[in-house]
Amino acid sequence: MNKTVLITGSSKGIGAATAILFAQKGYNVVINYNDSYESASLLCRSLVSNGYSVMTHKANVANKLEVELMVKETLYKFGSLDILVNNAGISQQAVITETSEIDFDRIIDVNLKGVFNCCKSVIPSMVSRQSGKIINISSMWGQVGASCEVAYSASKAGVIGLTKALAKELAPSGITVNAIAPGLIETSMNSNLTIEELSDFVNEIPLGRMGSADEIAAAIEFLASDKADYITGQVLGINGGYVI
Ligand code: NAP
């Protein structure tokens, strides 16, 4: 039986690139989205028309009940859930004095509690099979902190803490938990940056360019594969040398 992967926030960007790669590698793929119904449906239709096994499911990862329903539907449709990629995320740039409590809660709810909700829903079925792989998408800002992104940096540092704790907790059950900490990746998340801001940023990246969503997807696929069976609790930085 083919393995099944649930990728949160895969209507676009890194998540969409990951969904395409896993579908091409023969996995059953669940494309989760919250707002972007059209891009999720378009992606699903194009993969299904190429013969791949893919479904979409709308769920706000910050909402425990919606996540539970998504996991139930996945298990019903595909019979197992082997890999969870916690990728859904939002960002906001503002100095702390301009960051409202509502903004802070919203970012933590999606970026950190969303990971908690998805792990909590998926883990019982993984434990019962004594196998599974969880890959959490953090950020280099969770490692080193970004000025004007206190809420985002805190949420992504939280994801790293969660990854390390959960890796220890789940290792005896044969489940690995790792994080990826991307640097500047070319997706709509950075569309608010001006050409000048992007160019200044890129000038500080030793490899001299932004990363692509496909490059992150390839690392996720590696961590989900048997080749990564002895890797757990790690944070893989993919940032062109910006954070070493
Ligand atoms: P993106 O293009 O903006 O995509 C974000 C994805 O998250 C979308 O599919 C979006 O789906 C989904 N999402 C947002 N809120 C959600 C919610 N409440 N429930 C479910 N899905 C939700 O951004 P990206 O660059 O691909 O980001 C993917 C991940 O990589 C994020 O965790 C981000 O923090 C991280 N990351 C990105 C960069 C970068 O430079 N791009 C760097 C470091 C880390 P809908 O539109 O359907 O809501």
Side-chain angles (χ1 to χ4, degrees):
M1 196 171 72
N2 288 351
K3 286 188 173 175
T4 300
V5 57
L6 166 59
I7 306 159
T8 68
S10 43
S11 52
K12 54 190 176 185
I14 292 169
T18 307
I20 293 167
L21 182 61
F22 274 93
Q24 289 168 342
K25 295 271 177 183
Y27 291 79
N28 304 313
V29 177
V30 182
I31 296 173
N32 158 252
Y33 67 97
N34 189 33
D35 288 332
S36 304
Y37 165 77
E38 289 199 356
S39 16
S41 304
L42 198 68
L43 176 60
C44 184
R45 276 202 303 275
S46 91
L47 289 170
V48 169
S49 71
N50 280 301
Y52 300 124
S53 171
V54 183
M55 66 177 247
T56 58
H57 190 103
K58 173 178 163 53
N60 175 358
V61 292
N63 183 310
K64 176 177 166 275
L65 292 178
E66 290 183 23
V67 168
E68 284 173 357
L69 201 63
M70 173 167 67
V71 170
K72 268 194 192 135
E73 198 197 330
T74 302
L75 291 170
Y76 178 75
K77 165 112 175 147
F78 293 126
S80 71
L81 214 173
D82 305 276
I83 296 140
L84 168 65
V85 181
N86 282 306
N87 167 76
I90 53 173
S91 64
Q92 184 193 32
Q93 287 182 319
V95 293
I96 191 165
T97 46
E98 297 292 327
T99 303
S100 68
E101 188 182 349
I102 290 172
D103 291 336
F104 187 84
D105 286 348
R106 190 172 50 89
I107 291 168
I108 297 291
D109 276 356
V110 174
N111 293 4
L112 182 55
K113 199 172 84 179
V115 177
F116 170 78
N117 285 340
C118 292
C119 289
K120 214 175 152 188
S121 291
V122 163
I123 283 165
S125 76
M126 288 184 172
V127 168
S128 72
R129 286 183 303 106
Q130 293 285 290
S131 78
K133 291 204 158 63
I134 298 175
I135 297 122
N136 299 324
I137 308 306
S138 175
S139 163
M140 67 177 175
W141 298 137
Q143 298 174 295
V144 298
S147 168
C148 302
E149 287 193 76
V150 158
Y152 183 78
S153 302
S155 71
K156 293 299 187 178
V159 169
I160 291 173
L162 184 154
T163 299
K164 292 181 178 180
L166 197 57
K168 290 181 181 172
E169 193 170 312
L170 294 182
S173 301
I175 301 162
T176 64
V177 188
N178 291 290
I180 288 178
L184 183 66
I185 309 302
E186 207 166 349
T187 70
S188 59
M189 186 165 272
N190 295 307
S191 56
N192 61 318
L193 298 177
T194 64
I195 305 268
E196 291 72 32
E197 285 169 335
L198 274 177
S199 153
D200 288 349
F201 200 152
V202 166
N203 283 337
E204 288 177 36
I205 299 173
L207 283 176
R209 64 171 177 87
M210 296 175 85
S212 72
D214 287 342
E215 287 172 313
I216 306 301
I220 294 171
E221 199 269 325
F222 165 71
L223 287 174
S225 74
D226 296 350
K227 290 176 189 155
D229 276 353
Y230 199 55
I231 303 175
T232 198
Q234 303 305 304
V235 182
L236 177 58
I238 307 179
N239 54 50
Y242 190 88
V243 171
I244 292 179

